[in-house]
Amino acid sequence: MTETENVRNSDTSALVASDRPINLRIAGADLLLSGRFDHWRPIGVSNWEEGRATAHLLFDATGTSNRSPTRNSPDLLSFVAKTVEQVGPHSYQAKGTLRADGAQRSIDAVVQTPSGHSPFFFLTLGLERQAFSGLWTELQVLASQTPNDDATEMRPRAWLRLPVLAAA
């Protein structure tokens, strides 16, 4: 039995809440992402090596939460970065602080934005299993779930629409 199967078969999977917001405050190098995003999805968790993994998350920038975190419903994680460097076209490295599970660590994250007018962006985080075991488990379970019809496509909550002009 693999670790994913252990997690899936345990009571832990009942505690996983994919709608928990993620709080981001990333500013610098022509990039500003700030808000509590509740419209996101883990795309995958990879590079399982010696207690470290890389989590790949897809966000809808228009999907911000207006709920405040509470003790019973805290944010899944928060990431604050004030040092941001462009490392490629539409790709940025953000150095900041990741907080989750009552722990905090300085990490480097990669933010990728598609070209054109898209409300989506990717965030790639490196995770230490020992420091962020709860977050590690939640993301692993969510990423390994088989998508249903509703989860196969992520649509933005808001989108720029051109106005309809009447012809005279």
Short mmCIF file of all heavy atoms in Angstrom, two decimals, residues 117-150:
data_model
loop_
_atom_site.label_atom_id
_atom_site.label_comp_id
_atom_site.label_asym_id
_atom_site.label_seq_id
_atom_site.Cartn_x
_atom_site.Cartn_y
_atom_site.Cartn_z
N HIS A 117 -4.51 37.77 -21.75
CA HIS A 117 -5.43 38.15 -20.69
C HIS A 117 -6.07 36.90 -20.10
O HIS A 117 -7.08 36.41 -20.59
CB HIS A 117 -6.51 39.10 -21.23
CG HIS A 117 -5.93 40.37 -21.76
ND1 HIS A 117 -5.47 41.36 -20.92
CD2 HIS A 117 -5.70 40.80 -23.02
CE1 HIS A 117 -5.00 42.35 -21.64
NE2 HIS A 117 -5.13 42.03 -22.92
N SER A 118 -5.46 36.39 -19.05
CA SER A 118 -5.97 35.20 -18.40
C SER A 118 -6.06 35.46 -16.90
O SER A 118 -5.16 36.06 -16.32
CB SER A 118 -5.02 34.02 -18.65
OG SER A 118 -5.43 32.91 -17.88
N PRO A 119 -7.11 34.99 -16.25
CA PRO A 119 -7.22 35.18 -14.81
C PRO A 119 -6.47 34.11 -14.02
O PRO A 119 -6.48 34.13 -12.80
CB PRO A 119 -8.73 35.08 -14.57
CG PRO A 119 -9.18 34.12 -15.61
CD PRO A 119 -8.33 34.42 -16.82
N PHE A 120 -5.82 33.18 -14.70
CA PHE A 120 -5.17 32.07 -14.01
C PHE A 120 -3.69 32.32 -13.78
O PHE A 120 -3.04 33.02 -14.55
CB PHE A 120 -5.34 30.78 -14.80
CG PHE A 120 -6.79 30.38 -14.94
CD1 PHE A 120 -7.43 30.49 -16.15
CD2 PHE A 120 -7.49 29.90 -13.86
CE1 PHE A 120 -8.76 30.14 -16.28
CE2 PHE A 120 -8.82 29.54 -13.97
CZ PHE A 120 -9.46 29.66 -15.19
N PHE A 121 -3.17 31.72 -12.72
CA PHE A 121 -1.73 31.71 -12.48
C PHE A 121 -1.37 30.44 -11.73
O PHE A 121 -2.22 29.81 -11.10
CB PHE A 121 -1.26 32.97 -11.72
CG PHE A 121 -1.76 33.11 -10.31
CD1 PHE A 121 -1.05 32.62 -9.23
CD2 PHE A 121 -2.97 33.74 -10.06
CE1 PHE A 121 -1.51 32.75 -7.93
CE2 PHE A 121 -3.45 33.89 -8.76
CZ PHE A 121 -2.72 33.40 -7.70
N PHE A 122 -0.10 30.04 -11.84
CA PHE A 122 0.42 28.86 -11.16
C PHE A 122 1.36 29.29 -10.05
O PHE A 122 2.10 30.25 -10.20
CB PHE A 122 1.21 27.97 -12.13
CG PHE A 122 0.36 27.20 -13.08
CD1 PHE A 122 0.14 27.68 -14.36
CD2 PHE A 122 -0.21 25.99 -12.71
CE1 PHE A 122 -0.65 26.98 -15.25
CE2 PHE A 122 -0.99 25.28 -13.59
CZ PHE A 122 -1.21 25.78 -14.87
N LEU A 123 1.34 28.54 -8.96
CA LEU A 123 2.27 28.74 -7.86
C LEU A 123 2.90 27.39 -7.55
O LEU A 123 2.19 26.40 -7.37
CB LEU A 123 1.54 29.28 -6.62
CG LEU A 123 2.38 29.51 -5.38
CD1 LEU A 123 3.38 30.65 -5.61
CD2 LEU A 123 1.49 29.84 -4.19
N THR A 124 4.22 27.36 -7.54
CA THR A 124 4.95 26.14 -7.22
C THR A 124 5.71 26.37 -5.93
O THR A 124 6.50 27.31 -5.83
CB THR A 124 5.92 25.77 -8.37
OG1 THR A 124 5.17 25.63 -9.57
CG2 THR A 124 6.64 24.47 -8.07
N LEU A 125 5.43 25.51 -4.94
CA LEU A 125 6.02 25.64 -3.60
C LEU A 125 6.83 24.40 -3.26
O LEU A 125 6.40 23.28 -3.53
CB LEU A 125 4.92 25.77 -2.54
CG LEU A 125 3.94 26.91 -2.62
CD1 LEU A 125 2.77 26.67 -1.67
CD2 LEU A 125 4.65 28.20 -2.26
N GLY A 126 7.96 24.60 -2.61
CA GLY A 126 8.72 23.48 -2.06
C GLY A 126 8.30 23.28 -0.61
O GLY A 126 8.21 24.24 0.16
N LEU A 127 7.99 22.03 -0.25
CA LEU A 127 7.49 21.73 1.10
C LEU A 127 8.41 20.77 1.83
O LEU A 127 8.87 19.79 1.26
CB LEU A 127 6.10 21.09 1.02
CG LEU A 127 4.99 21.87 0.35
CD1 LEU A 127 3.74 21.01 0.25
CD2 LEU A 127 4.72 23.15 1.11
N GLU A 128 8.64 21.06 3.10
CA GLU A 128 9.34 20.12 3.98
C GLU A 128 8.27 19.32 4.71
O GLU A 128 7.40 19.89 5.36
CB GLU A 128 10.17 20.87 5.02
CG GLU A 128 11.33 21.65 4.47
CD GLU A 128 12.01 22.43 5.59
OE1 GLU A 128 12.18 21.88 6.70
OE2 GLU A 128 12.35 23.58 5.34
N ARG A 129 8.36 18.01 4.62
CA ARG A 129 7.34 17.16 5.24
C ARG A 129 7.30 17.34 6.75
O ARG A 129 6.22 17.41 7.34
CB ARG A 129 7.59 15.70 4.90
CG ARG A 129 6.52 14.83 5.49
CD ARG A 129 6.71 13.39 5.13
NE ARG A 129 5.50 12.69 5.48
CZ ARG A 129 5.05 11.64 4.86
NH1 ARG A 129 5.72 11.16 3.84
NH2 ARG A 129 3.95 11.07 5.24
N GLN A 130 8.43 17.43 7.38
CA GLN A 130 8.47 17.53 8.84
C GLN A 130 7.82 18.82 9.32
O GLN A 130 7.08 18.82 10.29
CB GLN A 130 9.91 17.44 9.33
CG GLN A 130 10.03 17.37 10.83
CD GLN A 130 11.47 17.12 11.26
OE1 GLN A 130 12.36 16.96 10.45
NE2 GLN A 130 11.68 17.11 12.55
N ALA A 131 8.05 19.92 8.63
CA ALA A 131 7.51 21.21 9.06
C ALA A 131 6.04 21.37 8.70
O ALA A 131 5.28 21.97 9.45
CB ALA A 131 8.31 22.35 8.43
N PHE A 132 5.63 20.82 7.55
CA PHE A 132 4.28 21.05 7.04
C PHE A 132 3.55 19.74 6.77
O PHE A 132 3.00 19.53 5.69
CB PHE A 132 4.34 21.90 5.76
CG PHE A 132 5.00 23.24 5.95
CD1 PHE A 132 6.24 23.50 5.40
CD2 PHE A 132 4.38 24.22 6.70
CE1 PHE A 132 6.85 24.73 5.57
CE2 PHE A 132 4.98 25.46 6.88
CZ PHE A 132 6.22 25.72 6.31
N SER A 133 3.51 18.86 7.73
CA SER A 133 2.92 17.53 7.51
C SER A 133 1.43 17.59 7.19
O SER A 133 0.95 16.84 6.34
CB SER A 133 3.17 16.62 8.71
OG SER A 133 2.56 17.17 9.87
N GLY A 134 0.66 18.46 7.84
CA GLY A 134 -0.76 18.57 7.55
C GLY A 134 -1.01 19.10 6.16
O GLY A 134 -1.85 18.58 5.41
N LEU A 135 -0.30 20.13 5.77
CA LEU A 135 -0.41 20.71 4.43
C LEU A 135 0.01 19.68 3.39
O LEU A 135 -0.67 19.50 2.38
CB LEU A 135 0.45 21.97 4.33
CG LEU A 135 0.51 22.66 2.97
CD1 LEU A 135 -0.88 23.11 2.54
CD2 LEU A 135 1.48 23.83 3.01
N TRP A 136 1.10 19.00 3.64
CA TRP A 136 1.61 17.95 2.75
C TRP A 136 0.51 16.92 2.50
O TRP A 136 0.22 16.57 1.36
CB TRP A 136 2.81 17.31 3.42
CG TRP A 136 3.45 16.13 2.77
CD1 TRP A 136 2.88 14.92 2.49
CD2 TRP A 136 4.79 16.04 2.34
NE1 TRP A 136 3.80 14.09 1.93
CE2 TRP A 136 4.98 14.74 1.83
CE3 TRP A 136 5.87 16.92 2.37
CZ2 TRP A 136 6.20 14.30 1.33
CZ3 TRP A 136 7.09 16.47 1.88
CH2 TRP A 136 7.24 15.19 1.36
N THR A 137 -0.14 16.46 3.57
CA THR A 137 -1.18 15.43 3.47
C THR A 137 -2.38 15.95 2.69
O THR A 137 -2.90 15.28 1.80
CB THR A 137 -1.62 14.97 4.86
OG1 THR A 137 -0.48 14.43 5.54
CG2 THR A 137 -2.71 13.91 4.79
N GLU A 138 -2.85 17.16 3.01
CA GLU A 138 -4.02 17.72 2.32
C GLU A 138 -3.77 17.87 0.83
O GLU A 138 -4.61 17.48 0.01
CB GLU A 138 -4.42 19.07 2.92
CG GLU A 138 -5.09 18.93 4.26
CD GLU A 138 -5.82 20.19 4.65
OE1 GLU A 138 -6.72 20.62 3.90
OE2 GLU A 138 -5.50 20.73 5.71
N LEU A 139 -2.62 18.42 0.47
CA LEU A 139 -2.33 18.62 -0.95
C LEU A 139 -2.16 17.29 -1.67
O LEU A 139 -2.61 17.12 -2.81
CB LEU A 139 -1.09 19.50 -1.13
CG LEU A 139 -1.26 20.95 -0.70
CD1 LEU A 139 0.06 21.70 -0.84
CD2 LEU A 139 -2.36 21.64 -1.49
N GLN A 140 -1.55 16.32 -1.00
CA GLN A 140 -1.36 15.00 -1.59
C GLN A 140 -2.71 14.34 -1.86
O GLN A 140 -2.95 13.79 -2.94
CB GLN A 140 -0.52 14.13 -0.67
CG GLN A 140 -0.25 12.76 -1.24
CD GLN A 140 0.53 11.89 -0.28
OE1 GLN A 140 0.71 12.25 0.88
NE2 GLN A 140 0.96 10.75 -0.74
N VAL A 141 -3.62 14.41 -0.91
CA VAL A 141 -4.94 13.81 -1.08
C VAL A 141 -5.71 14.52 -2.18
O VAL A 141 -6.29 13.88 -3.06
CB VAL A 141 -5.74 13.83 0.26
CG1 VAL A 141 -7.20 13.46 0.02
CG2 VAL A 141 -5.10 12.89 1.26
N LEU A 142 -5.73 15.84 -2.16
CA LEU A 142 -6.47 16.59 -3.17
C LEU A 142 -5.92 16.36 -4.57
O LEU A 142 -6.68 16.20 -5.53
CB LEU A 142 -6.44 18.09 -2.85
CG LEU A 142 -7.27 18.53 -1.65
CD1 LEU A 142 -6.96 19.97 -1.29
CD2 LEU A 142 -8.74 18.33 -1.92
N ALA A 143 -4.60 16.32 -4.70
CA ALA A 143 -3.99 16.13 -6.02
C ALA A 143 -4.20 14.71 -6.55
O ALA A 143 -4.24 14.51 -7.76
CB ALA A 143 -2.50 16.44 -5.96
N SER A 144 -4.38 13.75 -5.66
CA SER A 144 -4.52 12.36 -6.10
C SER A 144 -5.97 11.95 -6.33
O SER A 144 -6.23 10.86 -6.81
CB SER A 144 -3.88 11.42 -5.08
OG SER A 144 -4.60 11.46 -3.86
N GLN A 145 -6.92 12.83 -6.00
CA GLN A 145 -8.33 12.49 -6.21
C GLN A 145 -8.64 12.45 -7.70
O GLN A 145 -8.16 13.26 -8.47
CB GLN A 145 -9.25 13.52 -5.53
CG GLN A 145 -9.23 13.42 -4.04
CD GLN A 145 -10.07 14.51 -3.39
OE1 GLN A 145 -10.43 15.49 -4.01
NE2 GLN A 145 -10.38 14.32 -2.12
N THR A 146 -9.46 11.49 -8.08
CA THR A 146 -9.89 11.38 -9.46
C THR A 146 -10.90 12.49 -9.73
O THR A 146 -11.91 12.59 -9.04
CB THR A 146 -10.54 10.01 -9.72
OG1 THR A 146 -9.62 9.00 -9.33
CG2 THR A 146 -10.92 9.86 -11.18
N PRO A 147 -10.63 13.32 -10.73
CA PRO A 147 -11.57 14.42 -10.99
C PRO A 147 -12.91 13.91 -11.50
O PRO A 147 -12.97 12.97 -12.25
CB PRO A 147 -10.86 15.26 -12.05
CG PRO A 147 -9.76 14.44 -12.58
CD PRO A 147 -9.50 13.31 -11.62
N ASN A 148 -13.97 14.57 -11.02
CA ASN A 148 -15.30 14.26 -11.56
C ASN A 148 -15.61 15.28 -12.66
O ASN A 148 -14.79 16.13 -12.97
CB ASN A 148 -16.35 14.27 -10.44
CG ASN A 148 -16.40 15.60 -9.73
OD1 ASN A 148 -16.12 16.65 -10.30
ND2 ASN A 148 -16.75 15.58 -8.45
N ASP A 149 -16.77 15.21 -13.22
CA ASP A 149 -17.11 16.11 -14.33
C ASP A 149 -17.03 17.57 -13.94
O ASP A 149 -16.63 18.42 -14.72
CB ASP A 149 -18.50 15.81 -14.86
CG ASP A 149 -18.54 14.48 -15.61
OD1 ASP A 149 -17.46 14.03 -16.06
OD2 ASP A 149 -19.62 13.90 -15.73
N ASP A 150 -17.41 17.90 -12.69
CA ASP A 150 -17.37 19.29 -12.25
C ASP A 150 -15.95 19.78 -12.04
O ASP A 150 -15.68 20.97 -12.11
CB ASP A 150 -18.16 19.46 -10.95
CG ASP A 150 -19.64 19.21 -11.14
OD1 ASP A 150 -20.12 19.38 -12.29
OD2 ASP A 150 -20.31 18.83 -10.17
#
